[in-house]
Amino acid sequence: MPRAALTWIDDEQLCVASIPDDAPASIGRATDATVSIELPALSRQHARVVRADERFVLEHLSQTNPTLVNGESVEASRPLEDHDVIEAGPAAITFHDLDAAARELGVACHHCGRENPVGQYDCWYCGSSLVNAPTMVGRQPVVCRVVSADGERFDLLASNTLTFDGEGVASMTMDDAASAASNGGPRIELRDGELWLTPAHGARANGEALAAERRLAFSDVVEVGSRRYLCIPRAD
C-alpha cells in the first residue's frame, strides 16, 4: 500500500483508506468516495487529498459545508502534516504520513551492537555505558502504524516490537522476539520484510481467534482483551 492513509470512525467502527500516489483521495457522502460517510452535513464531494511533489495537500470542494484542519478553516487548499485532523462537516478524519514519521537513529552499543534511543546513557539490553558510542547515521522508516479508536498510535520500526498485555494495553519495546514474548501476550514484529502477529490467549485478528502466527496486512484489526487496533503498514 502507499505510504499515506486516512482513518475515521463510522458507525462506531475505526475505518482506514489508503491515499494513492497517483490519484486523489476523495472525502464525502458519495458512495464512491475514498472516505464515504453518510452524514447530512457532509457534502457529496466535500474535500480531497492529493499528492503534490513530496507533500500531501487537502483541497476544500464543498460550496455549502466547511472543512477544517486542526480546528482552522480551509478556504481552498492546505498542506497536510502527519496526524492532522480533517473536519469535514461533523466527520473527523485523521491523516497519516508514515514517511514523515521516520525518526533519527540513536546510538549503537559497543558491546552488543543493539540500537538505543536518543539520550540513553546505558544500553537497554546489556547495560554497557554508551559514553562515546557512535551515533547511527540516517533515519529509520516506520514499517507499520498501529492505531486505536481512542487516538493511540504506535509507530513500529524495524528494530522495535509492539507487545500487548492480557488487557490489550500496547507498548513499544526495543527487545528482540525472545524478550518481547516474556509477558505472555501477543506481539507484532517485522521478520524478513513482513509483519507478523504472534498468537496468545484471547487475541483475535479480524474477528478470528489466533491459532497460529498470522501475517498482517493493510487494514487488519487486532483485538486483545477489550481493545481494538488497526494496522497501517507502509510499503515501498
Side-chain angles (χ1 to χ4, degrees), residues 12-174:
E12 299 184 354
Q13 298 297 316
L14 182 59
C15 307
V16 62
S18 63
I19 302 175
D21 283 340
D22 56 355
S26 56
I27 298 169
R29 204 173 69 252
T31 56
D32 60 349
T34 309
V35 177
S36 176
I37 309 175
E38 184 59 42
L39 291 172
L42 191 67
S43 299
R44 286 183 54 79
Q45 298 293 333
H46 196 107
R48 65 182 182 180
V49 178
V50 299
R51 183 166 183 173
D53 297 324
E54 294 304 311
R55 303 200 67 176
F56 289 88
V57 174
L58 175 73
E59 297 179 347
H60 172 63
L61 303 177
S62 176
Q63 304 263 332
T64 56
N65 297 306
T67 302
L68 294 84
V69 174
N70 302 331
E72 298 180 358
S73 179
V74 177
E75 299 301 325
S77 65
R78 169 175 171 152
L80 290 171
E81 304 289 343
D82 182 38
H83 210 61
D84 276 350
V85 176
I86 302 165
E87 298 171 62
I93 302 149
T94 302
F95 169 72
H96 303 270
D97 185 348
L98 272 60
D99 266 3
R103 69 162 175 79
E104 296 295 333
L105 295 174
V107 295
C109 176
H110 285 294
H111 181 69
C112 69
R114 286 174 168 81
E115 184 200 351
N116 286 264
V118 176
Q120 187 95 346
Y121 294 102
D122 297 308
C123 178
W124 66 269
Y125 185 81
C126 67
S128 298
S129 173
L130 296 175
V131 176
N132 298 323
T135 300
M136 300 174 72
V137 179
R139 289 169 63 84
Q140 191 171 63
V142 172
V143 296
C144 181
R145 174 167 289 176
V146 179
V147 300
S148 75
D150 297 330
E152 291 180 295
R153 74 184 190 275
F154 301 89
D155 286 342
L156 185 67
L157 310 176
S159 58
N160 294 150
T161 299
L162 184 61
T163 64
F164 304 87
D165 66 16
E167 300 300 319
V169 177
S171 60
M172 193 74 71
T173 90
M174 299 187 76

